[in-house]
Amino acid sequence: MTTQDNNYVKILFRFHSNILDEETVETMWATIVDKYKGLYKLDSIPFYATSVASDDIVFAEYDEQEQMLTYRETVEYSGNSTVQIVLMDNSKDINQIRDLFKELGCVSEKMNDGYFSMEIPSTVDYKNIKNKLDELETQEIIGYAEPCLADGHRQ
């Protein structure tokens, strides 16, 4: 994505983060679905925001106080899920962990060498992902949270 692409906008999300235990803001890229109705399709994997996932259609409007487009509600869920992963064993390479999940069909975005957020597409069987997450957590390599688990991925 280039900043010259006029079909992309940034949307602000304001929420309480249980991970950070504080009021938090996060901005995400989205494509314009219907600018006049305020509908946008998320094109980012949320790092901290809960209850939203990539490809969800959201309603956002310009907020004078925030001085930018601001999330108001999700109007259509994509069926994708988001999992947040913290590396607990600093002797492990976070990129190798990300690659394990990439082989299982998941893409991720790294925040730093100790934290990444992962998208589980609606078409991927979550059982295999969940088994790998649980295995790595039992080995104390990672800790994880499921802030946005789509109905199709609930067991």
Side-chain angles (χ1 to χ4, degrees), residues 67-82:
Q67 293 290 296
M68 68 182 304
L69 276 175
T70 303
Y71 169 82
R72 299 296 185 224
E73 67 178 318
T74 303
V75 295
E76 185 180 315
Y77 294 95
S78 62
N80 296 336
S81 295
T82 304

Side-chain angles (χ1 to χ4, degrees), residues 2-60:
T2 65
T3 54
Q4 295 173 339
D5 190 335
N6 291 334
N7 198 39
Y8 282 91
V9 295
K10 272 205 165 182
I11 299 175
L12 177 97
F13 289 74
R14 183 175 291 281
F15 55 93
H16 180 81
S17 170
N18 291 332
I19 291 175
L20 302 173
D21 195 28
E22 62 186 32
E23 189 70 18
T24 306
V25 295
E26 179 175 0
T27 58
M28 288 183 242
W29 286 106
T31 57
I32 299 168
V33 173
D34 188 327
K35 187 175 183 174
Y36 300 102
K37 290 183 179 178
L39 300 178
Y40 304 89
K41 184 177 184 177
L42 291 182
D43 193 44
S44 295
I45 301 170
F47 280 116
Y48 298 110
T50 60
S51 304
V52 292
S54 57
D55 295 335
D56 285 357
I57 307 292
V58 301
F59 171 66

Side-chain angles (χ1 to χ4, degrees), residues 20 26 28 31 35 37 43 60-62 64 68 71 73-74 77 81 85-86 88 90 101 110 114 125 132-133 142 151:
L20 302 173
E26 179 175 0
M28 288 183 242
T31 57
K35 187 175 183 174
K37 290 183 179 178
D43 193 44
E61 59 189 356
Y62 187 82
E64 289 293 333
M68 68 182 304
Y71 169 82
E73 67 178 318
T74 303
Y77 294 95
S81 295
I85 300 173
V86 175
M88 305 301 279
N90 293 331
F101 291 105
K110 182 172 81 168
D125 183 358
K132 182 55 79 177
L133 288 166
I142 66 162
D151 288 344

Side-chain angles (χ1 to χ4, degrees), residues 49-140:
T50 60
S51 304
V52 292
S54 57
D55 295 335
D56 285 357
I57 307 292
V58 301
F59 171 66
E61 59 189 356
Y62 187 82
D63 185 295
E64 289 293 333
Q65 188 173 352
E66 301 289 1
Q67 293 290 296
M68 68 182 304
L69 276 175
T70 303
Y71 169 82
R72 299 296 185 224
E73 67 178 318
T74 303
V75 295
E76 185 180 315
Y77 294 95
S78 62
N80 296 336
S81 295
T82 304
V83 173
Q84 301 162 333
I85 300 173
V86 175
L87 187 63
M88 305 301 279
D89 182 346
N90 293 331
S91 70
K92 302 294 183 187
D93 179 3
I94 197 165
N95 291 320
Q96 289 179 339
I97 305 294
R98 291 175 66 209
D99 287 344
L100 286 174
F101 291 105
K102 186 176 182 181
E103 290 173 12
L104 296 172
C106 300
V107 295
S108 62
E109 291 191 28
K110 182 172 81 168
M111 170 68 80
N112 54 42
D113 287 337
Y115 179 82
F116 68 94
S117 190
M118 181 170 69
E119 171 193 293
I120 298 92
S122 60
T123 55
V124 170
D125 183 358
Y126 186 59
K127 186 168 43 174
N128 297 328
I129 307 303
K130 177 79 168 158
N131 288 340
K132 182 55 79 177
L133 288 166
D134 289 342
E135 175 189 324
L136 293 172
E137 187 173 57
T138 300
Q139 296 171 3
E140 297 182 354

